[in-house]
Amino acid sequence: MPPFDVPEGDPFGPHNLPYGVFSPAGSQERRVGVRLGDHVLDAGAAAAALGSPYVSLLARPTLGPLLAAGRTAWSDVRRALTAWLTVPAHRETIEPLFHPLSSVTLHLPFEVADYVDFYSSEHHARNAGQIFRPDAADPLPPNWKHLPIGYHGRSGTVVVSGTDVVRPSGQRKGPADPAPVFGPSVRLDIEAEVGFVVGVPSAQGEPVALGDFREHVFGLCLLNDWSARDIQAWEYVPLGPFLGKSFATSVSAWITPLEALEDARVAPPPRTHPLLPYLDDSGSGDEPGGYDLRITVAVNGHVVSEPPFSTMYWTAAQQLAHLTVNGASLRTGDLYGSGTVSGPEPDQRGSLLELTWNGRDPLELPDGKRAFLEDGDMVTLSAWAPGPGGVRVGLGDVTGRVVARA
Amino acid sequence: MPPFDVPEGDPFGPHNLPYGVFSPAGSQERRVGVRLGDHVLDAGAAAAALGSPYVSLLARPTLGPLLAAGRTAWSDVRRALTAWLTVPAHRETIEPLFHPLSSVTLHLPFEVADYVDFYSSEHHARNAGQIFRPDAADPLPPNWKHLPIGYHGRSGTVVVSGTDVVRPSGQRKGPADPAPVFGPSVRLDIEAEVGFVVGVPSAQGEPVALGDFREHVFGLCLLNDWSARDIQAWEYVPLGPFLGKSFATSVSAWITPLEALEDARVAPPPRTHPLLPYLDDSGSGDEPGGYDLRITVAVNGHVVSEPPFSTMYWTAAQQLAHLTVNGASLRTGDLYGSGTVSGPEPDQRGSLLELTWNGRDPLELPDGKRAFLEDGDMVTLSAWAPGPGGVRVGLGDVTGRVVARA
């Protein structure tokens, strides 16, 4: 089963080449890996064996140096990797440097600097508005169509796919309760999102223009913004989500470079409101800001939703321009989430809040009803995008099991 | 002018010994420094010269290793430093290792991991409520007396005292405006706060109890949470402050260890509402959670306010217990701000928002009226605390000048 012979049409074929950080079986050492099919190439070892100048970027315990190296280097390294994996002359050198995916330990692939989460799906925002403010004339807040609403989250609790998520405890208070009560969250939810990874930093005081998105952002990954709805509801006025979100955020072990997603670029939905110049992407017809990513949300292996990322109102380029327009600087390793991805259809909603309409209509799973997550539930986010010649580009899964606090 | 002869009663005498990171004149190298009067001791060089085992914590370019070392090490190092600075036999060795404060460059003393900002002054919260929600029956949000409200800020834009602050641009929209406009903030404000620096990390899923505050928190510093009120007002519903705050947060170059503030510990104000057990400090009479810090806010050298930190409703220990009660982990270098410090009197308010009542009553400064900050304005926060025998413990100033974007 030589890895070079990855089956035709495999979503992790040589057209994809996502990056991660792994430890080989029996080792604690961290190494940059590139996924090919069901194998991981030790990229640093490959660079060293082939005398590549990119050994300084790849023979590292984190993706940080590669992220910081910038767009030209990203392209050059990708071109080199493609050659190593497809030119028969390299086969003898490269093949021993593969590890079966099932044999390695995958790590958080980079140190998360600042983590920001947006709220950029119109369908999600409308659903949330209707659920929480049923009497409002407009379910969207008045600023929603003018800027991509976002907030900072806790970067220290971003964890890699496969990490158990301890059910958080906290304060909650129902409208009829005289005082808040304390205990494990009883409304633990998921948010299916896409995370964008910043490579190239920017200086404080210097906004990043809409057109410079791909000079700074290296790639993307799936992201599960776990949310305790009961904790969040009681705490979030007036300063926003805090403990309802900060206990854990799960990301894929694999970062898909934007270069692998050229065929997935699509125009975002038509804009219904005029945009201020720094957000106005109406003139960028050949630089569509959207990505056609088809996400699947499963609970205990049962598919509960298929959110289409192409329906997001605000693009990642707009989010980056907004994030920096006040002069806030970027650092290598900054991560920002798209916000919950929900499409227009009921089976395209990216949270249980919306799928069960705040618990009113529980999901019927093979193992019972679910209003919110139960201890032991395993959540899996997966996705693919259209690739070259109709081949799919697979994104790395994000899995996480809910466990009670010991 | 030998540094050992720091005048009796100097607020930076040997009873204080705050830590920072400096570069000597003409050097780019970063070193841990300890302030004594108007001088900085090269602490790593002192440890090396005296053959101290603490050279591994002090001969570093950042406070990180010392912060991570834990409470016993913090005490041991402080005891060693006190001996080096007060035992005459060390004088010949130590004296050449001082640098005049005016000759060195001071740096951000540690890498900020996550930055959280609280909202824990009742006077500030009541003022803000009256200003923004004049028709509300209660100016405090319903959760305010049950939990210390907080949110995550941007750690990548925390800067050291003395760094210029570029006036941020962004969207703003008055109630009568048909659509938002874009431009430099016209309501740039300060928030006088105290920042707490976490040394010892905690595990994800494991809350830090109220009584373990001083096992994790190393020390404190002054903090200016610059705020663009117009940007904040338009963006903050429903997910909280974002660009109105994320452009810059200034902290003192000197971290005062909690051990230097034993004589400043005071009981917080009486609690008006019963607290859930994880926040209930009513039984900790010998561990009062408050600190008596006397803050001064000056604009262009003119004192505009003197906020008393002893009036804060929520203590730093309660903030830490709340921050982690959902299982969120701590990292070395986590920083959390107290929230704007405002006392009960009009001249004790820690923001221009309150001092000018949202611009209605401009301050009369020697150089003209101020509703909010103008370009060129220099803001200085300073503070002292009661120390042993009535001597003051000085906190490092936080200064910052507002500049227009170039």
Side-chain angles (χ1 to χ4, degrees):
Chain A
M1 185 196 55
F4 269 40
D5 304 326
V6 58
E8 188 85 26
D10 188 297
F12 292 95
H15 60 294
N16 188 340
L17 304 185
Y19 294 90
V21 170
F22 74 102
S23 293
S27 166
Q28 299 289 314
E29 199 191 343
R30 295 183 181 216
R31 304 178 185 179
V32 169
V34 172
R35 179 167 171 183
L36 185 72
D38 292 333
H39 285 73
V40 182
L41 173 68
D42 184 333
L50 293 169
S52 162
Y54 305 122
V55 69
S56 63
L57 300 178
L58 296 174
R60 296 294 194 116
T62 163
L63 295 186
L66 176 63
L67 295 180
R71 192 171 174 185
T72 301
W74 303 337
S75 288
D76 291 347
V77 171
R78 183 172 166 81
R79 203 173 305 113
L81 278 163
T82 304
W84 302 346
L85 292 169
T86 55
V87 174
H90 295 320
R91 187 162 184 149
E92 198 175 340
T93 308
I94 291 294
E95 246 180 24
L97 305 177
F98 278 96
H99 300 257
L101 190 53
S102 58
S103 74
V104 305
T105 304
L106 295 167
H107 304 285
L108 194 62
F110 60 95
E111 189 184 353
V112 180
D114 272 299
Y115 166 51
V116 163
D117 196 29
F118 286 95
Y119 184 56
S120 290
S121 159
E122 180 170 356
H123 305 290
H124 170 68
R126 285 190 181 278
N127 289 337
Q130 286 172 27
I131 288 168
F132 291 126
R133 297 177 294 277
D135 301 326
D138 186 348
L140 293 182
N143 52 7
W144 202 94
K145 287 288 182 106
H146 296 282
L147 54 79
I149 293 172
Y151 66 99
H152 284 85
R154 191 164 186 81
S155 53
T157 52
V158 176
V159 296
V160 72
S161 174
T163 307
D164 284 348
V165 171
V166 178
R167 180 180 295 272
S169 286
Q171 295 193 24
R172 61 175 183 271
K173 181 180 171 300
D177 295 338
V181 297
F182 182 85
S185 170
V186 295
R187 300 172 87 81
L188 184 58
D189 199 357
I190 58 183
E191 292 194 341
E193 304 196 13
V194 175
F196 290 82
V197 180
V198 171
V200 174
S202 68
Q204 208 158 346
E206 300 286 343
V208 174
L210 204 51
D212 288 337
F213 166 65
R214 296 202 293 167
E215 303 300 324
H216 290 274
V217 171
F218 171 79
L220 55 75
C221 62
L222 288 171
L223 183 152
N224 186 347
D225 176 31
W226 305 89
S227 299
R229 301 296 179 196
D230 40 2
I231 296 172
Q232 185 183 350
W234 170 233
E235 75 178 357
Y236 92 106
V237 175
L239 299 186
F242 185 38
L243 301 191
K245 302 275 195 173
S246 66
F247 56 96
T249 304
S250 299
V251 294
S252 166
W254 298 105
I255 309 301
T256 305
L258 294 186
E259 283 194 85
L261 297 166
E262 281 299 297
D263 293 280
R265 296 173 72 195
V266 292
R271 279 65 173 82
T272 55
H273 290 55
L275 293 176
L276 285 163
Y278 79 96
L279 291 173
D280 185 2
D281 60 359
S282 60
S284 59
D286 54 342
E287 280 271 353
Y291 283 93
D292 179 11
L293 311 174
R294 324 283 177 93
I295 304 171
T296 297
V297 182
V299 177
N300 300 330
H302 181 80
V303 173
V304 300
S305 175
E306 295 185 304
F309 190 71
S310 59
T311 62
M312 300 299 281
Y313 191 84
W314 296 103
T315 69
Q318 288 172 316
Q319 291 167 337
L320 192 74
H322 186 62
L323 170 54
T324 59
V325 77
N326 68 344
S329 49
L330 299 174
R331 288 182 294 174
T332 298
D334 281 349
L335 171 70
Y336 61 99
S338 60
T340 309
V341 183
S342 290
E345 303 302 325
D347 61 356
Q348 295 180 327
R349 295 168 178 164
S351 68
L352 294 176
L353 172 77
E354 298 160 87
L355 287 165
T356 72
W357 214 251
N358 203 20
R360 186 193 70 189
D361 309 321
L363 294 178
E364 302 280 355
L365 300 191
D367 59 346
K369 291 189 178 189
R370 285 295 182 292
F372 289 95
L373 295 171
E374 297 186 359
D375 289 346
D377 279 349
M378 172 67 89
V379 177
T380 304
L381 309 183
S382 52
W384 61 272
V391 177
R392 293 181 175 192
V393 179
L395 271 60
D397 288 355
V398 178
T399 67
R401 187 183 300 277
V402 177
V403 300
R405 190 176 159 216
Chain B
M1 188 198 53
F4 268 41
D5 303 326
V6 59
E8 188 85 26
D10 189 297
F12 292 94
H15 62 293
N16 188 340
L17 305 183
Y19 294 90
V21 170
F22 75 101
S23 294
S27 166
Q28 298 290 314
E29 198 191 343
R30 294 182 182 217
R31 305 179 185 178
V32 170
V34 172
R35 179 168 171 183
L36 184 72
D38 292 333
H39 284 73
V40 183
L41 173 69
D42 184 333
L50 293 168
S52 162
Y54 305 123
V55 68
S56 63
L57 300 178
L58 296 175
R60 295 296 193 115
T62 162
L63 295 185
L66 176 63
L67 295 181
R71 191 172 174 183
T72 301
W74 302 337
S75 289
D76 291 347
V77 171
R78 181 172 167 81
R79 203 175 305 113
L81 278 163
T82 303
W84 302 346
L85 293 169
T86 55
V87 175
H90 294 320
R91 188 163 183 148
E92 199 175 340
T93 307
I94 291 293
E95 244 179 26
L97 305 177
F98 278 97
H99 300 257
L101 190 53
S102 58
S103 74
V104 306
T105 303
L106 294 167
H107 303 285
L108 195 63
F110 60 94
E111 188 183 355
V112 180
D114 271 300
Y115 166 52
V116 164
D117 196 30
F118 286 95
Y119 185 56
S120 289
S121 159
E122 180 170 355
H123 304 291
H124 170 68
R126 286 190 182 277
N127 289 337
Q130 286 172 27
I131 289 168
F132 292 126
R133 297 177 294 277
D135 302 326
D138 186 348
L140 293 182
N143 53 8
W144 202 93
K145 287 288 181 107
H146 297 282
L147 54 81
I149 294 173
Y151 66 99
H152 284 86
R154 190 162 187 82
S155 53
T157 52
V158 176
V159 296
V160 71
S161 174
T163 306
D164 283 347
V165 171
V166 178
R167 180 181 295 271
S169 287
Q171 295 193 23
R172 61 175 183 270
K173 181 180 171 301
D177 294 338
V181 297
F182 182 85
S185 169
V186 295
R187 300 172 87 81
L188 184 58
D189 199 357
I190 58 184
E191 292 194 342
E193 305 196 12
V194 174
F196 290 83
V197 180
V198 172
V200 174
S202 69
Q204 207 158 348
E206 300 287 344
V208 173
L210 205 50
D212 288 336
F213 165 65
R214 295 201 294 166
E215 303 300 324
H216 290 273
V217 172
F218 171 79
L220 55 75
C221 61
L222 289 171
L223 182 152
N224 187 347
D225 176 32
W226 305 89
S227 299
R229 301 296 178 195
D230 41 2
I231 296 172
Q232 185 183 350
W234 170 232
E235 75 180 357
Y236 92 106
V237 175
L239 300 185
F242 185 39
L243 300 192
K245 302 274 195 175
S246 65
F247 56 97
T249 304
S250 299
V251 294
S252 167
W254 298 105
I255 309 302
T256 306
L258 294 185
E259 284 194 86
L261 296 166
E262 280 300 296
D263 293 281
R265 296 173 71 195
V266 292
R271 279 63 173 84
T272 55
H273 289 57
L275 293 176
L276 285 163
Y278 79 96
L279 291 173
D280 185 1
D281 59 359
S282 59
S284 58
D286 56 340
E287 280 271 355
Y291 283 93
D292 179 9
L293 312 174
R294 324 281 176 94
I295 304 171
T296 297
V297 182
V299 178
N300 301 330
H302 183 79
V303 173
V304 300
S305 175
E306 295 186 304
F309 191 70
S310 60
T311 61
M312 300 298 283
Y313 190 85
W314 296 104
T315 70
Q318 289 172 317
Q319 291 168 338
L320 192 75
H322 186 62
L323 171 55
T324 59
V325 77
N326 68 344
S329 49
L330 299 175
R331 289 181 293 174
T332 298
D334 281 347
L335 171 70
Y336 62 99
S338 60
T340 308
V341 184
S342 291
E345 303 303 326
D347 61 356
Q348 295 180 329
R349 294 168 178 162
S351 68
L352 294 176
L353 173 76
E354 298 161 88
L355 287 166
T356 70
W357 214 251
N358 203 20
R360 187 193 67 188
D361 309 321
L363 294 178
E364 301 280 355
L365 299 191
D367 60 344
K369 290 189 177 189
R370 285 296 182 292
F372 289 95
L373 295 171
E374 297 186 359
D375 290 345
D377 280 348
M378 171 68 89
V379 177
T380 304
L381 309 183
S382 54
W384 61 272
V391 176
R392 293 181 175 189
V393 179
L395 270 60
D397 289 354
V398 179
T399 66
R401 186 184 300 277
V402 176
V403 299
R405 191 176 158 216

